[in-house]
Amino acid sequence: MKNLISIFIILVLMSCRNTAENVSLKKGSKKEVSVKELSPTKIYTSVKVSTPFNLNNIKCNWKQIDSVSGAITIELRDYKTQRILLSYSDYFKSGNDVNAEDYFNEHFQDLNFDGFKDFLITSSGSTAMTDLVNIYLFNKKTKSFEFSEELSDNTIEEVDKVNRKLSTSSFTIENEIRKKHYFNKNGTIKYSEIITKSDVSENDSVSRYKNNYEKVVNGKVVMTKEYTTIE
């Protein structure tokens, strides 16, 4: 009787051990691993490509890449070589479609009056005073577009082709700044006029402004004057 009980206990113990080993093998099996190793979530983008067009004697096309995060990258490429002539990325508040009917007339203008089309596009800030019209001038030697920090501003006021003058403006909480850039025929700046306008009114009945004028040649201030205006 004791022998039968001993045999029964041994069989029970062996059965429990086999069950534990089977569970352990299942947990470490390849099927278990393959379920855990799921492929990462893909970030999908949409790509728009324009039909070829001629710009500054170069056959070009636009490539626009819209990411799921909302960022948009636009690339201007040489159609034959696919060399990138211009690349710009931003989060556009309004639609930006390179295939829009008036897209090229709006964004490609001769801003330094050298006979070649330049590129401009607005980067929208949180307020109007943080907006920026980004200007990229065409370099005829490198046949590419280069960002101009000197000309970029909050707003373009006027493109005067007759007098080869580009007028821009910006403002802060305290001042309004107006710039007028006059160009030579080769597209370089002849001189710039900068007027900083500040409100110095003593009451609400009369608006009085202080104006600081600067004339800049080759990056140097060559003339200054101050005057008051009443509006």
Side-chain angles (χ1 to χ4, degrees):
M1 186 69 180
K2 289 182 179 180
N3 290 335
L4 289 174
I5 293 173
S6 298
I7 291 171
F8 178 76
I9 293 172
I10 291 171
L11 289 173
V12 171
L13 291 174
M14 290 180 65
S15 177
C16 292
R17 180 180 177 184
N18 290 335
T19 302
E21 287 178 351
N22 288 336
V23 172
S24 177
L25 286 172
K26 287 182 180 179
K27 286 185 177 179
S29 65
K30 291 183 178 180
K31 290 184 179 179
E32 175 86 8
V33 174
S34 64
V35 172
K36 289 182 179 180
E37 293 178 355
L38 296 173
S39 58
T41 303
K42 294 181 179 179
I43 299 177
Y44 293 97
T45 59
S46 64
V47 179
K48 301 174 185 176
V49 180
S50 73
T51 56
F53 57 93
N54 289 316
L55 176 69
N56 297 335
N57 299 320
I58 304 172
K59 190 176 183 179
C60 307
N61 71 315
W62 267 122
K63 182 178 181 181
Q64 177 175 315
I65 305 167
D66 301 342
S67 72
V68 71
S69 66
I72 297 176
T73 299
I74 50 178
E75 294 177 347
L76 180 67
R77 292 173 174 262
D78 185 307
Y79 182 72
K80 293 182 179 179
T81 66
Q82 285 301 294
R83 181 173 70 93
I84 296 177
L85 311 179
L86 168 70
S87 180
Y88 179 81
S89 298
D90 203 351
Y91 288 84
F92 295 95
K93 287 185 177 179
S94 57
N96 182 71
D97 187 357
V98 298
N99 293 313
E101 183 177 355
D102 200 42
Y103 187 87
F104 297 103
N105 292 332
E106 178 183 351
H107 293 286
F108 288 101
Q109 302 179 39
D110 186 2
L111 300 174
N112 62 344
F113 313 101
D114 63 349
F116 294 95
K117 297 284 187 179
D118 306 302
F119 178 72
L120 68 152
I121 193 166
T122 300
S123 173
S124 298
S126 56
T127 63
M129 72 175 67
T130 57
D131 287 350
L132 182 65
V133 178
N134 301 277
I135 293 178
Y136 291 77
L137 297 178
F138 181 72
N139 187 324
K140 61 183 180 182
K141 293 182 179 179
T142 63
K143 297 188 182 301
S144 60
F145 292 81
E146 300 173 355
F147 177 70
S148 174
E149 186 175 355
E150 187 173 15
L151 300 182
S152 299
D153 212 338
N154 285 148
T155 306
I156 292 180
E157 299 290 345
E158 182 185 20
V159 181
D160 185 349
K161 296 179 180 179
V162 175
N163 297 303
R164 294 197 297 274
K165 178 181 68 176
L166 175 67
S167 300
T168 67
S169 66
S170 62
F171 61 94
T172 65
I173 297 176
E174 298 179 348
N175 302 316
E176 178 184 354
I177 303 169
R178 294 186 174 272
K179 298 178 182 179
K180 296 179 181 180
H181 304 286
Y182 296 84
F183 291 85
N184 296 303
K185 291 182 178 180
N186 63 358
T188 59
I189 297 178
K190 185 188 301 184
Y191 66 92
S192 299
E193 294 179 321
I194 303 173
I195 299 175
T196 303
K197 182 179 177 181
S198 305
D199 189 347
V200 291
S201 304
E202 297 179 356
N203 52 62
D204 296 334
S205 59
V206 178
S207 297
R208 186 183 299 273
Y209 298 94
K210 182 178 72 173
N211 299 272
N212 290 317
Y213 170 88
E214 295 179 330
K215 183 176 182 179
V216 180
V217 180
N218 294 326
K220 296 181 179 180
V221 178
V222 297
M223 181 189 302
T224 61
K225 62 180 178 180
E226 184 178 304
Y227 59 94
T228 302
T229 55
I230 299 175
E231 298 178 8

